[in-house]
């Protein structure tokens, strides 16, 4: 199992102008180490829509890599999106599914099928041309440059240690810049940054 | 503009006068060479700058989707024609999230779904597009409206009671579509005549000016 630091540290070190969309339990940890105009938090209450949101950004910006850091609970709410991603032909989308087997921010209740569902297998069955799987940090850091370079859509399943993030708000109390203001404000700023207008 | 629900007077007038007027207008023979209502609809979407149409199809939207995916004029590329790209979603809520992402990325998407799927998409619409203030055109086909009128009931006027929910000659979704949109704070315009697409244009303007998703109820036949 990887810790969030082991997952996110190498990613933030390699990240240049890629979009990064975060979900639920990884939203704060990413926001603590990254302060980029192309970070977007999909951590509001419409759970399950991080992957489809990231796909939309990828299709609107086909020349820019879009990295989606989704949770296993969120992914389970919209498994059909695995198929939609492949069907769309979005070569620039990298979909991480962080498998901690828990609804972390609501108190670490187990997600259905925790420890039994083969997410990389689901991605292969949906037709993802490239599927990676990491259950230890061995090989992850060395493979990451390839993951961020090759054509996709790419699926990356990562076995994660149990975390302890609590409910996420959008307020000045949050440390991460992309959680300090409303979703509408963040969305407008993100769109401005990505379109340059 | 504040939370207001719009249903065009033109549409209401058509319905009160003759419940099947919109279908009659749409199915009247048109002069040879004239574009079909579906072709005109696609032309308007292009003119409005719509880049993507995210959809889960139904019978009413089928002619529009066929027009969107019609082979291109060989003399002009699809890019030159600026025909929106069609993206099929596995469910309507996914489609709303996808469209919200398209808008975030700089696109100008529309969503084309049935009113049954609108109900499915409730939390996605509330939690993504509406909370982002994304000016997304939500084109909603109106399952059950014809049945309601055959039974002498105006869809938006029926009391939501057990009889409406269980009657086999009605489709209950027709009687909760407009009230649901109103409850969600999504403005909606009615389109009751496939040859008059003014409500689509008006909805797009409203969405951009008010920075919010706006629905158009497609209560007409496009084939």
């Amino acid at each position: 199992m990887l810790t969030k630091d082991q997952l996110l540290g190498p990613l933030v070190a390699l990240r240049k102008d890629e979009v990064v969309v975060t979900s639920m339990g990884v939203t704060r940890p990413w926001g603590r180490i990254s302060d980029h105009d192309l970070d977007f938090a999909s951590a509001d209450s419409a759970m399950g829509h991080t992957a489809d949101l990231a796909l939309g950004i990828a299709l609107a910006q086909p020349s820019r890599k879009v990295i989606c850091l989704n949770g296993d609970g969120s992914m389970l709410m919209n498994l059909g999106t695995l198929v939609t991603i492949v069907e769309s032909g979005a070569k620039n989308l990298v979909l991480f599914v962080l498998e901690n087997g828990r609804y972390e921010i609501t108190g670490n209740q187990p997600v259905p099928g925790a420890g039994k569902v083969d997410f990389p297998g689901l991605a292969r069955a949906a037709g993802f041309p490239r599927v990676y799987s990491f259950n230890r940090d061995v090989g992850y850091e060395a493979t990451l440059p390839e993951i961020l370079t090759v054509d996709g859509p790419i699926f990356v399943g990562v076995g994660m240690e149990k975390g302890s993030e609590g409910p996420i708000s959008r307020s000045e109390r949050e440390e991460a810049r992309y959680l300090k203001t409303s979703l509408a404000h963040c969305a407008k700023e993100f769109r401005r940054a990505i379109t340059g207008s | 503009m504040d939370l207001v629900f719009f249903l065009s007077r033109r549409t209401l007038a058509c319905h009160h006068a003759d419940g099947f007027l919109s279908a009659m207008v749409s199915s009247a023979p048109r002069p040879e060479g004239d574009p079909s209502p579906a072709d005109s609809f696609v032309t308007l979407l292009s003119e409005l700058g719509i880049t993507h149409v995210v959809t889960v199809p139904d019978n009413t939207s089928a002619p529009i989707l066929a027009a969107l995916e019609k082979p291109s004029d060989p003399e002009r590329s699809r890019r030159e024609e600026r025909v929106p790209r069609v993206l099929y979603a596995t469910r309507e809520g996914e489609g709303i999230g996808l469209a919200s992402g398209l808008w975030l990325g700089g696109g100008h998407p529309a969503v084309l779904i049935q009113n049954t799927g609108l109900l499915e998409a409730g939390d996605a619409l509330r939690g993504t597009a509406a909370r982002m203030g994304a000016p997304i055109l939500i084109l909603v086909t109106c399952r059950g409206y014809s049945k309601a009128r055959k039974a002498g009931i105006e869809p938006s006027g029926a009391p939501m009671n057990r009889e409406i929910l269980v009657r086999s000659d009605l489709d209950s979704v027709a009687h909760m579509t407009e009230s649901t949109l109103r409850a969600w704070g999504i403005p909606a315009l009615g389109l009751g005549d496939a040859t008059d697409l003014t409500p689509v244009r008006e909805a797009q303007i409203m969405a951009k000016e008010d920075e919010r998703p706006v629905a158009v109820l497609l209560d007409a036949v496009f084939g």
Side-chain angles (χ1 to χ4, degrees):
Chain A
M1 301 290 184
L2 276 73
T3 64
K4 286 175 186 166
D5 286 345
Q6 288 171 328
L7 174 79
L8 302 179
L11 188 57
V12 81
L14 287 176
R15 189 264 189 95
K16 295 187 179 83
D17 61 352
E18 297 90 346
V19 170
V20 176
V21 182
T22 61
S23 173
M24 304 301 175
V26 78
T27 302
R28 280 201 194 95
W30 179 256
R32 288 187 195 112
I33 60 173
S34 173
D35 182 21
H36 196 293
D37 287 345
L38 296 184
D39 287 337
F40 191 81
S42 170
D44 300 78
S45 59
M47 184 176 169
H49 292 290
T50 305
D52 48 50
L53 193 83
L55 173 61
I57 299 170
L59 292 172
Q61 292 283 331
S63 60
R64 189 187 294 274
K65 194 73 94 176
V66 175
I67 300 163
C68 177
L69 302 176
N70 204 14
D72 47 4
S74 294
M75 195 71 250
L76 282 174
M77 291 185 85
N78 254 328
L79 283 175
T81 301
L82 295 173
V83 177
T84 308
I85 288 169
V86 173
E87 182 69 13
S88 75
K91 292 182 177 177
N92 54 329
L93 182 66
V94 183
L95 173 62
F96 283 77
V97 171
L98 282 52
E99 303 172 46
N100 65 2
R102 303 279 163 173
Y103 294 115
E104 181 179 340
I105 65 170
T106 57
N108 270 316
Q109 301 89 348
V111 301
K116 301 174 198 156
V117 176
D118 176 7
F119 282 97
L122 289 172
R124 281 189 203 95
F128 270 76
R130 287 178 184 272
V131 177
Y132 298 83
S133 180
F134 302 96
N135 283 306
R136 293 180 300 149
D137 65 341
V138 176
Y140 166 68
E141 192 167 352
T143 312
L144 195 54
E146 174 186 309
I147 291 170
L148 298 182
T149 307
V150 295
D151 278 350
I154 294 168
F155 182 94
V156 187
V158 187
M160 298 294 296
E161 296 279 0
K162 183 178 158 187
S164 57
E165 291 293 338
I168 293 164
S169 64
R170 285 190 178 270
S171 71
E172 277 297 327
R173 291 192 303 276
E174 292 285 351
E175 188 181 343
R177 176 165 64 105
Y178 69 178
L179 289 174
K180 284 185 179 293
T181 55
S182 70
L183 180 61
H185 181 264
C186 290
K188 193 180 273 190
E189 290 299 307
F190 178 91
R191 194 173 196 269
R192 187 173 293 144
I194 204 166
T195 60
S197 60
Chain B
M1 205 169 288
D2 204 354
L3 303 183
V4 179
F5 184 79
F6 299 88
L7 188 65
S8 77
R9 290 199 179 92
R10 175 176 51 254
T11 306
L12 282 173
C14 287
H15 293 166
H16 287 309
D18 182 342
F20 302 99
L21 181 59
S22 61
M24 289 168 63
V25 168
S26 300
S27 59
R30 63 176 184 276
E32 199 173 332
D34 277 12
S36 71
D39 286 330
S40 298
F41 197 92
V42 170
T43 300
L44 176 60
L45 294 180
S46 302
E47 285 174 11
L48 294 176
I50 299 297
T51 54
H52 301 78
V53 173
V54 184
T55 190
V56 177
D58 76 345
N59 289 332
T60 302
S61 64
I64 297 171
L65 294 168
L68 278 164
E69 301 202 286
K70 198 156 52 178
S72 178
D73 179 342
E75 299 299 314
R76 301 176 65 193
S77 71
R78 295 293 271 186
R79 185 174 293 277
E80 284 171 344
E81 291 175 345
R82 295 194 304 165
V83 176
R85 179 183 174 186
V86 178
L87 295 167
Y88 289 95
T90 59
R91 54 192 282 252
E92 291 82 357
E94 179 198 40
I96 297 286
L98 175 51
S100 299
L102 286 161
W103 175 77
L104 275 175
H108 297 282
V111 175
L112 177 57
I113 54 178
Q114 194 182 69
N115 49 353
T116 50
L118 176 76
L119 299 185
E120 190 282 320
D123 190 50
L125 184 53
R126 181 203 60 77
T128 60
R131 279 186 74 76
M132 285 179 190
I136 296 173
L137 204 51
I138 313 288
L139 306 166
V140 182
T141 61
C142 295
R143 181 186 172 106
Y145 277 49
S146 295
K147 275 187 178 179
R149 294 198 191 99
K150 274 183 192 166
I153 300 171
E154 183 57 33
S156 62
M160 279 311 300
N161 54 29
R162 184 179 185 279
E163 185 195 357
I164 293 291
L165 293 172
V166 304
R167 270 177 63 169
S168 58
D169 62 330
L170 296 177
D171 201 324
S172 59
V173 67
H175 306 282
M176 55 183 78
T177 301
E178 295 168 37
S179 55
T180 298
L181 283 164
R182 194 179 302 122
W184 291 349
I186 306 294
L189 281 73
L191 187 154
D193 176 354
T195 64
D196 181 0
L197 303 178
T198 309
V200 178
R201 196 180 291 277
E202 289 174 349
Q204 175 77 343
I205 292 168
M206 189 187 304
K208 284 191 171 176
E209 285 182 355
D210 295 354
E211 299 184 341
R212 66 195 309 188
V214 175
V216 181
L217 300 178
L218 303 181
D219 182 17
V221 177
F222 291 88

